[in-house]
Amino acid sequence: MGVETLVKNGEAKAPLILGLQPAALIDHVARVDWSLLHQIPGESGGSIPVEIKELEHILSELKRHSLASIDEPSPMKTMAGGSVANTIRGLRSGFGVNGGMIGAYGDDEQGQLFVSNMNISGVNISRLRNKHGPTAQCVCLVDAYGNRTMRPCLSTAVKVQGDELTKDDFSGSKWLVMRYGIFNLEVIQAAIRIAKQEGLCVSLDLASFEMVRNFREPLLSLLESGDIDICFANEDEATELLRGEENADPEAALGYLSKYCRWAVVTLGANGCIAKHGQEIVRVPAIGEAKAVDATGAGDLFASGFLYGLIKGLSLEECCKVGSCSGGAVTRSLGGEVTPENWQWMYKQMQIKGLLLPDIQS
């Protein structure tokens, strides 16, 4: 199955999994020294929006601050990015799951790059709108330990609005994958409303600890609505979710999430993950080298593997193990896109653990 649209009964077959990323995004990923991280405002390890001038300033500083690496000859990688795009691309290229994107891209070089990257990966892009204006960009700064600091530039970027979404965008699909964001709250709510009418399950990623910390109330309302079927959080986001409570640890957050979501997952970096479905709780260790080259996309690709497991009817523990394999695969090189060699590494890990390998047709 190549990149051509799947055709069934003369009509394009709806993607099994849809990703809503209102604004298409281009990632500029680079390994940098500490001095650059100390120069830019905001906490290291987080994600704070910046204006275009600040983004351009950081990009101009990269050459002087980039860390050379034997594995990565180029100091910077530029690719289609964004949490949801990473998850959908991973599902399609690594697991052979028919996925599509809903969103908008600009009439610029970055917009073309986003579309062509997703298309080459076999992602269905028929639901992407082309609009006049710039495409969103994000600079991902990776330190010597593989931790990443994001500075997205979204304010002037084109995006899809809630009132533009139609029933046809969702019809025939089974899952909707989204990332929490206060600036996209209106389109997220509109998407959930239509998705639920069309019988889709909804997956939500908690985005970043700052997003949870600064916009906690709307997030709690979203989770407590009962419309979110699966929630993915990392340990920092999980802790922020219950800030001020007596127990604000990942276990307590898992308990809270599982009250409202059918599946709740908290990833714990090098310590693996914990997950809950009904009364069942599992803890799975991380898979891969102790030292990550770049943690960008680790949570996104974990979600790819976990969702593949759910689609295939695997147990909760197996879903977590596949997620750990795919999350581990993306940390072996720069950026949120898994290289062909690292997919092979992942299949080998899955085989060793007796997990169901994807049936991928080339």
Side-chain angles (χ1 to χ4, degrees), residues 17 83-84 86-88 90-91 95 177-178 203-205 230 232 265 267 297-311 319 322-324 326-327:
I17 298 198
S83 175
V84 173
N86 289 342
T87 298
I88 298 295
L91 272 160
F95 293 101
V177 173
M178 296 186 301
S203 166
L204 185 73
D205 179 275
I230 180 166
F232 293 101
V265 186
T267 55
D300 310 333
L301 269 295
F302 178 94
S304 302
F306 193 94
L307 288 163
Y308 159 80
L310 280 187
I311 290 164
C319 288
V322 181
S324 293
S326 49

Side-chain angles (χ1 to χ4, degrees), residues 271-314:
N271 295 317
C273 71
I274 47 176
K276 189 171 181 190
H277 173 54
Q279 294 308 303
E280 186 186 8
I281 299 178
V282 299
R283 180 180 286 273
V284 169
I287 292 163
E289 280 75 38
K291 186 176 183 299
V293 172
D294 173 16
T296 304
D300 310 333
L301 269 295
F302 178 94
S304 302
F306 193 94
L307 288 163
Y308 159 80
L310 280 187
I311 290 164
K312 294 294 184 186
L314 304 188

Side-chain angles (χ1 to χ4, degrees), residues 25-48:
L25 179 72
I26 287 297
D27 275 345
H28 305 282
V29 191
R31 298 186 72 208
V32 297
D33 59 34
W34 301 106
S35 62
L36 179 59
L37 290 166
H38 292 150
Q39 270 180 44
I40 62 173
E43 289 176 64
S44 288
S47 177
I48 295 174

Side-chain angles (χ1 to χ4, degrees), residues 182-193:
I182 195 68
F183 311 109
N184 294 323
L185 194 57
E186 175 253 350
V187 67
I188 286 170
Q189 289 166 333
I192 291 173
R193 194 169 59 248

Side-chain angles (χ1 to χ4, degrees), residues 233-359:
N234 66 27
E235 55 192 320
D236 296 332
E237 294 151 8
T239 307
E240 285 297 340
L241 197 59
L242 298 184
R243 179 177 278 278
E245 306 272 325
E246 200 176 325
N247 293 326
D249 57 13
E251 282 80 5
L254 188 75
Y256 166 80
L257 290 169
S258 68
K259 275 197 280 190
Y260 305 103
C261 311
R262 285 159 68 194
W263 292 273
V265 186
V266 179
T267 55
L268 307 168
N271 295 317
C273 71
I274 47 176
K276 189 171 181 190
H277 173 54
Q279 294 308 303
E280 186 186 8
I281 299 178
V282 299
R283 180 180 286 273
V284 169
I287 292 163
E289 280 75 38
K291 186 176 183 299
V293 172
D294 173 16
T296 304
D300 310 333
L301 269 295
F302 178 94
S304 302
F306 193 94
L307 288 163
Y308 159 80
L310 280 187
I311 290 164
K312 294 294 184 186
L314 304 188
S315 70
L316 182 63
E317 187 175 1
E318 287 173 323
C319 288
C320 288
K321 283 180 176 174
V322 181
S324 293
C325 287
S326 49
V330 78
T331 66
R332 293 164 57 83
S333 65
L334 271 189
E337 184 171 22
V338 180
T339 63
E341 306 78 61
N342 288 332
W343 283 130
Q344 292 309 318
W345 176 87
M346 183 192 79
Y347 300 142
K348 195 174 166 189
Q349 301 302 315
M350 287 176 69
Q351 212 165 2
I352 291 166
K353 289 175 175 48
L355 298 165
L356 179 70
L357 286 168
D359 173 25

